[in-house]
Amino acid sequence: MKKIDQRRIALAIVTFICTIACAQVPGDYISTHFKKGDTLQYTYKLSIKAEDPTTRKPIEIPYDIYENLSFSPASSYYLLYENRKSYESTFTLTVREVTPYTYTMRLLVQQNPYGDNINGNPDLITPKFTTGLLKEKGILITFNENISNYMPTNSNETINDLVDYLYAHREENELIKKFTGVVPKEEFKQEFTQSEDVNSFISLIINLSAPGLSMLPEIYRRKYTPEVVHYKDIPSDKKGSHPLKIEETTSFNSEGWLNEYNRTVTFKQPRSLIVSHESLIRQVKQ
């Protein structure tokens, strides 16, 4: 009984400290004022380089580094693994509907993150077809009012569009051609839309075709102060990972649109210094 009381007291103290810490976080959340018809185009870039920690000269990037860069979305670094050193993608969000609590937007992808690697690579069959769909038709997604979260708006419609696109372009890939020749389209649609993992699959499509989109909720969840540059040092954890140094810059316009976000992360290893840089920049038509 005494041990239980001690645990309760410890839990209460931790909860109290966390409550105070959260209450003392400086700054404000960004207020968004999107209107129907607004269009935001962003270019997302991610690059990585390795240096000798003593001489600071470039060295070959260790392959296992992609498994350890856990401070960014996993999909971003999966794509980086496919492209080795860097990649970029461009996507557009067009506001279709505004309510007091949500923004519904159509996502279109103008530039996929795979570049020329997408052609002729059997491992990239799914990204090739989903990127084509996102470029020509797009996907409807709904953000909450402060852009801190989003979800597919109509999963079944998206799956139907994907299957239609897949069957319409089946001649472009031998494996897809064989599959579509055996499974009737409507049967495939029915099985796919009834799956419990439909939303997860659509989210994966989005993350692999427009990886920068997942940065928006992360950015809008934070409070901001007038300072533009933010530094953050993350010490070694109990698992033995090495310290990280994160430098971030963020800017918004008066309507709450993200103008530019940059993050540079320095990751120290015994034999290498890994520096990654990612950016999400709004493209403004001149």
Side-chain angles (χ1 to χ4, degrees):
M1 185 72 179
K2 185 176 180 181
K3 289 184 178 179
I4 295 177
D5 289 339
Q6 289 176 341
R7 289 178 180 177
R8 287 178 176 175
I9 293 172
L11 179 61
I13 292 173
V14 170
T15 303
F16 178 69
I17 293 173
C18 290
T19 302
I20 293 176
C22 292
Q24 291 179 341
V25 172
D28 298 297
Y29 294 111
I30 299 299
S31 296
T32 55
H33 306 283
F34 299 119
K35 301 181 293 296
K36 184 176 181 179
D38 284 345
T39 298
L40 303 88
Q41 185 177 70
Y42 288 99
T43 294
Y44 173 77
K45 297 180 181 181
L46 177 61
S47 63
I48 187 170
K49 64 179 181 179
E51 300 176 349
D52 183 288
T54 304
T55 65
R56 301 302 295 264
K57 292 182 177 180
I59 59 174
E60 190 66 23
I61 298 173
Y63 268 98
D64 62 350
I65 192 61
Y66 301 104
E67 301 174 0
N68 298 324
L69 294 174
S70 57
F71 43 82
S72 273
S75 57
S76 294
Y77 283 93
Y78 165 79
L79 290 168
L80 191 61
Y81 180 82
E82 291 291 337
N83 293 281
R84 194 65 185 123
K85 291 184 178 180
S86 66
Y87 70 86
E88 67 178 84
S89 64
T90 301
F91 64 92
T92 297
L93 294 169
T94 301
V95 181
R96 301 294 298 272
E97 184 180 348
V98 177
T99 74
Y101 307 104
T102 62
Y103 296 107
T104 298
M105 305 184 187
R106 181 170 295 282
L107 168 68
L108 289 169
V109 176
Q110 283 73 38
Q111 179 183 351
N112 72 71
Y114 303 94
D116 294 335
N117 294 337
I118 202 169
N119 296 314
N121 187 337
D123 295 331
L124 299 179
I125 293 175
T126 300
K128 178 177 180 178
F129 284 95
T130 56
T131 299
L133 172 69
L134 284 169
K135 186 174 183 178
E136 295 179 17
K137 191 176 181 71
I139 292 180
L140 282 178
I141 57 177
T142 297
F143 286 90
N144 57 357
E145 59 184 320
N146 57 7
I147 317 296
S148 62
N149 200 5
Y150 74 86
M151 63 181 297
T153 301
N154 190 329
S155 300
N156 287 349
E157 180 182 337
T158 298
I159 293 301
N160 287 334
D161 288 342
L162 176 59
V163 174
D164 285 340
Y165 188 89
L166 196 67
Y167 277 73
H169 294 78
R170 56 188 174 184
E171 297 295 331
E172 298 176 16
N173 182 275
E174 192 63 30
L175 183 62
I176 297 297
K177 183 179 179 180
K178 290 181 180 180
F179 173 81
T180 55
V182 176
V183 182
K185 182 167 69 172
E186 295 306 317
E187 180 182 328
F188 187 31
K189 285 183 179 181
Q190 185 177 1
E191 292 183 3
F192 212 160
T193 53
Q194 291 176 353
S195 171
E196 296 180 356
D197 299 323
V198 168
N199 280 341
S200 297
F201 178 73
I202 295 174
S203 295
L204 179 63
I205 289 175
I206 293 173
N207 289 337
L208 294 179
S209 301
L213 183 68
S214 63
M215 297 295 296
L216 288 176
E218 178 185 338
I219 292 167
Y220 278 94
R221 285 190 196 113
R222 305 175 184 176
K223 290 183 176 181
Y224 291 90
T225 57
E227 290 80 15
V228 177
V229 182
H230 301 273
Y231 295 92
K232 181 164 52 176
D233 287 311
I234 303 178
S236 300
D237 60 20
K238 294 180 181 179
K239 296 179 181 179
S241 68
H242 298 281
L244 300 174
K245 181 178 181 180
I246 301 176
E247 179 183 344
E248 297 176 310
T249 63
T250 317
S251 66
F252 302 85
N253 72 1
S254 59
E255 296 296 313
W257 298 16
L258 174 71
N259 278 337
E260 185 171 343
Y261 173 79
N262 290 278
R263 172 163 61 185
T264 300
V265 180
T266 303
F267 180 73
K268 295 180 180 179
Q269 291 192 312
R271 298 182 180 179
S272 60
L273 186 66
I274 309 299
V275 180
S276 76
H277 178 76
E278 59 186 329
S279 63
L280 186 62
I281 299 175
R282 186 165 70 93
Q283 305 300 312
V284 182
K285 293 182 179 180
Q286 301 296 329

